[in-house]
Amino acid sequence: TAEPVSNLQVRQALFMATDFQTIANNVFGGGDILGWPVGRGNPSYTPLENQSAQVQALFSFNTAQAKQMLTAAGYPNGFSINITVNASIQQEIDAATIMVADWAQIGVKVNIISLNQVALASEKTANTFTGLLAWPVAVANPLTPMQWYSGTTVGYTYKTGEPLDVEETAALAEMDPLKEQADATQFSKDALVDCGIIPLTNNYLINCYWPWLTNYYGEIDGAYHNQVVMIRELWINQSLKTSLKY
């Protein structure tokens, strides 16, 4: 991974110079600004108020401090960077547009590249994009972000390695669910500090379903965009359906 994003201080500066709350409110209509590597409700999720002071500072939208970090990283005059987005997803374009204005305050010039889904997926799979790439990631299963982060699934993110590699390997190999959860929790905290991904918003969704659909609680997917693992556990309560005159 090339400079400048291979530099941890640069990644942290870009993270700190992002107005996550404005993006959440104006682009997604609300949501958790901390929704990655796992979402709220997951056993490995740690709310922002319970995160370390360093993580809380990263979400503080402090452009003055972010500018100082860029200077310390060797970029006192900023730099130019690409953000590649899906041309058919307006939310990605709108979020990137806000980031253009945010990052301009620390001297970073953003060039938004809009690609269709096929071209975007091709660049992601081949890892031929430069700068940053917008792509949705699943946060239901804490092991999935680990695979995204390490590049064991298609596409790669920027990372420094230790201690994340150790935590990721341990969690993926662990058979004890409590130890696995502990490893995933620690990974989730350290991945935020590493800033390999700039998570925009885990936006709120309203899912409506019939009350007789048993064992379903509004999930969109189980693990990585995979409905099979949950569909096989669902069943229709015919007695309840009949009693409700359906």
Side-chain angles (χ1 to χ4, degrees):
T1 301
E3 288 275 355
V5 288
S6 61
N7 187 308
L8 174 60
Q9 281 188 300
V10 168
R11 297 197 304 274
Q12 290 177 335
L14 294 177
F15 200 113
M16 188 177 289
T18 303
D19 190 348
F20 294 101
Q21 194 63 64
T22 293
I23 292 174
N25 293 342
N26 296 355
V27 177
F28 296 97
D32 289 327
I33 62 172
L34 173 51
W36 183 90
V38 291
R40 186 180 298 275
N42 190 292
S44 294
Y45 181 81
T46 302
L48 183 57
E49 61 269 21
N50 295 334
Q51 293 279 351
S52 67
Q54 185 177 17
V55 170
Q56 292 186 41
L58 288 171
F59 282 92
S60 66
F61 186 46
N62 187 332
T63 54
Q65 186 176 347
K67 179 64 175 176
Q68 294 175 1
M69 295 171 69
L70 270 192
T71 300
Y75 295 92
N77 300 318
F79 52 83
S80 296
I81 192 169
N82 295 333
I83 297 181
T84 303
V85 301
N86 192 322
S88 64
I89 301 180
Q90 189 61 46
Q91 288 177 324
E92 289 187 5
I93 298 172
D94 292 343
T97 301
I98 292 175
M99 294 165 76
V100 168
D102 290 345
W103 293 1
Q105 299 179 52
I106 61 172
V108 175
K109 183 180 184 301
V110 177
N111 177 38
I112 300 176
I113 300 175
S114 297
L115 298 179
N116 63 49
Q117 176 66 28
V118 174
L120 185 71
S122 177
E123 289 215 355
K124 170 179 168 292
T125 302
N127 197 27
T128 54
F129 63 93
T130 59
L132 305 178
L133 179 140
W135 193 269
V137 294
V139 295
N141 183 346
L143 302 184
T144 302
M146 292 183 186
Q147 295 172 326
W148 274 89
Y149 194 88
S150 66
T152 51
T153 59
V154 291
Y156 295 82
T157 58
Y158 306 114
K159 62 170 188 169
T160 54
E162 299 285 356
L164 294 170
D165 286 344
V166 174
E167 294 163 0
E168 174 200 337
T169 301
L172 293 175
E174 184 57 64
M175 300 303 293
D176 184 315
L178 293 180
K179 292 180 180 179
E180 179 186 70
Q181 179 182 321
D183 289 336
T185 300
Q186 189 59 50
F187 172 88
S188 298
K189 295 177 180 179
D190 291 337
L192 288 169
V193 173
D194 191 65
C195 299
I197 286 179
I198 298 179
L200 297 183
T201 301
N202 193 3
N203 55 303
Y204 302 139
L205 298 174
I206 298 177
N207 293 337
C208 302
Y209 51 94
W210 293 110
W212 55 75
L213 183 58
T214 307
N215 280 350
Y216 182 71
Y217 305 96
E219 305 93 330
I220 295 177
D221 61 64
Y224 175 56
H225 301 300
N226 184 356
Q227 290 80 32
V228 175
V229 294
M230 64 184 188
I231 289 175
R232 66 188 181 190
E233 303 296 332
L234 306 182
W235 59 280
I236 295 176
N237 187 330
Q238 294 289 357
S239 297
L240 177 60
K241 184 176 180 182
T242 301
S243 69
L244 293 175
K245 311 300 182 184
Y246 284 92

